[in-house]
Amino acid sequence: MSDLAQALQTLPWSWYSDPEVAALERERIFRRAWQYVGHLGELQGPGSYFATHAAGVPIVVTLDRDGTLRGFLNVCRHRGTVVARGAEKRGTLQCPYHAWTYDLDGELRAAPRSSRDPSFEATGLCLRPVALGTWGPFVFSNPDPDCEPLEDALGDIAEVVAAGGLDVGQLRFHGRFPYGLRANWKIAIENYLECYHCAVNHPSLVEVIDERSLLLESNRLRVSQYAPAHRRVAEGTAPFDARGPLDSARYHLLLPATKLNSLPGHPNLSIGPVWPTATDRCEGFLDYFFGPGADDAWIADLLAIDDVVGGEDTALIEAAQAGTANGILEHGRLLAGSDDLVAYFQRYVRSRLAE
Ligand code: FES
Ligand SMILES: [Fe+2]
C-alpha cells in the first residue's frame, strides 16, 4: 500500500469494540491527559471544594484558606471510598464511610479510633495529588501528577481564542448540559472533527455558518475548525441571529477529548470533555459560558440551535457505531481534505497506544 493510501485508511474498526484497546486507551490516553473538569465558579471562595472526575477518575478540586488551588484523587486512603461529593464550603474533606478527615491540602487530619492501632501513621496517607491548572475560569486536570505542565498542553489555544475575538475573562457560567452516546468515544470525537457531514445533516446550522469556507488547523494537541458566519446572518434571514462581535464559528479540540465551541454572535463558549464508559458507550458534558450582550432570549436561541445540531449528531454517531462495531469490515477510507483532522486524531490515538 502506498504511504498516501495508508494515511487515508481509518483506524482498524476492531478498535471501536475491542476491550483491550479500551483498556490501553484508558491507561495511555485518558490517565495521562489534561482534561476539562469544571470551572472556578464551582468553588465558594477560600475553604471550599468541588468534586469532579477526569474520564471517570474521581477528582476533588480544593481552594485552601490561603487561596491555593489544588487537585487530588478523590479516593479515600482507607478503603477507597469516594470522599467528597458535590461542592461545599467546608474546611475539610470527610469520607462518608468511616469519617477519615482530610485537610484541603490533602493531609490526613483525623482517623477515628486510629489511636488503637499502634502502627498507624497519618503521614503518608494524604490524598494523592493530581495535576491541576486553570486558564481563565476553566479548570483542567491530569490524573498523572508527573505530566507536562498545563501551559504546554494548551499550547497556543489561549492566543487563538483571543484572536477570534473572545475574552475568556469576561465569560460568565450559564449551565452544564450532560449527554450520553451509544458509541465508542472515538466516533464521537471523529464526528466533531469534520463538517463534511454538515451540509447533508445540519440544515439549520449551515444557514448560520458558511461550512463551504471551513478552515482546518492543527498544532500539537490543538485541533481547530473555523467557519465564517453565513451571509444570511448579515441579511437577517438566518435561523439564528448570529450578528455580534464574533464573526465566525470556532470549534477546537484539546486532544484527546476536550471540546471548545463558539458560534458567531455575542461572546459565547461551550467547553467540556468526552470520556468512554464502555467500548460502545461514551458520555460528555458541555459547560456554557456567555459574555456581555448575550441576553436570555439570545442565549435560549443559541441553546436551541445547539440542541438541534446535537440531536442530529447523536443519530450520526450512533449509526457509525452500529456499522463499524460489528466487525464485518476491517476499516474505512478517509477523504483527503475533508477528513484531515480525523486523520490527525487517528494518528494521535495510534501514537499514544504505541507508546
Ligand atoms: S473508606 Fe474512607 S474512611 Fe473508610
Ligand atoms: Fe455535526
Side-chain angles (χ1 to χ4, degrees), residues 191 194 197-198 202 309 313 316:
N191 177 72
E194 49 91 359
H197 68 270
C198 292
H202 298 314
V309 173
D313 279 326
L316 300 173

Side-chain angles (χ1 to χ4, degrees), residues 35-179:
Q35 294 149 80
Y36 177 81
V37 295
H39 63 99
L40 291 174
E42 293 179 80
L43 291 164
Q44 300 161 41
S48 67
Y49 63 78
F50 69 90
T52 179
H53 69 90
V57 173
I59 283 173
V60 58
V61 178
T62 70
L63 186 63
D64 211 343
R65 281 186 205 82
D66 66 4
T68 309
L69 189 71
R70 296 185 178 89
F72 300 99
L73 280 186
N74 189 12
V75 176
C76 185
R77 297 297 303 275
H78 178 216
R79 297 230 314 275
T81 294
V82 171
V83 178
R85 304 207 180 251
E88 274 197 84
K89 188 168 175 79
R90 192 177 185 282
T92 56
L93 303 164
Q94 189 172 61
C95 178
Y97 206 166
H98 314 92
W100 282 27
T101 303
Y102 301 87
D103 283 322
L104 295 182
D105 64 2
E107 294 295 323
L108 178 62
R109 173 197 278 206
R113 303 185 201 176
S114 57
S115 59
R116 298 184 195 176
D117 175 350
S119 65
F120 184 83
E121 280 182 37
T123 341
L125 290 173
C126 53
L127 293 177
R128 209 205 82 186
V130 295
L132 195 90
T134 60
W135 158 42
F138 314 129
V139 181
F140 296 83
S141 184
N142 187 326
D144 176 3
D146 301 320
C147 62
E148 68 175 340
L150 176 64
E151 300 69 52
D152 294 0
L154 290 178
D156 62 1
I157 199 162
E159 291 142 53
V160 166
V161 167
L166 198 56
D167 175 359
V168 297
Q170 285 193 324
L171 294 174
R172 283 206 320 276
F173 177 68
H174 177 80
R176 175 169 296 179
F177 295 84
Y179 57 88

Side-chain angles (χ1 to χ4, degrees), residues 177-330:
F177 295 84
Y179 57 88
L181 296 165
R182 287 175 297 182
N184 185 273
W185 71 279
K186 298 188 291 299
I187 292 186
I189 297 297
E190 288 159 7
N191 177 72
Y192 180 74
L193 290 179
E194 49 91 359
C195 205
Y196 183 28
H197 68 270
C198 292
V200 183
N201 292 284
H202 298 314
S204 51
L205 181 65
V206 297
E207 294 194 344
V208 177
I209 66 167
D210 180 6
E211 56 84 24
R212 288 161 308 166
S213 307
L214 192 77
L215 282 177
L216 309 182
E217 188 178 83
S218 53
N219 183 11
R220 238 191 123 236
L221 297 179
R222 175 180 66 80
V223 190
S224 303
Q225 301 167 83
Y226 312 112
H230 198 279
R231 60 172 171 72
R232 281 172 164 273
V233 170
E235 292 166 2
T237 59
F240 165 63
D241 183 3
R243 289 171 290 189
L246 305 188
D247 63 4
S248 57
R250 293 174 165 252
Y251 305 100
H252 307 284
L253 183 77
L254 175 68
L255 286 166
T258 294
K259 301 176 183 180
L260 286 93
N261 317 282
S262 62
L263 282 174
H266 299 296
N268 70 91
L269 183 141
S270 59
I271 179 169
V274 176
W275 64 92
T277 52
T279 55
D280 59 352
R281 293 282 188 282
C282 63
E283 293 182 17
F285 66 81
L286 283 172
D287 279 355
Y288 280 79
F289 295 80
F290 294 94
D295 62 23
D296 289 350
W298 190 82
I299 290 172
D301 286 350
L302 181 143
L303 295 176
I305 193 162
D306 259 14
D307 196 43
V308 168
V309 173
E312 291 160 352
D313 279 326
T314 296
L316 300 173
I317 289 164
E318 294 186 350
Q321 176 72 21
T324 52
N326 56 48
I328 204 92
L329 293 178
E330 279 172 25

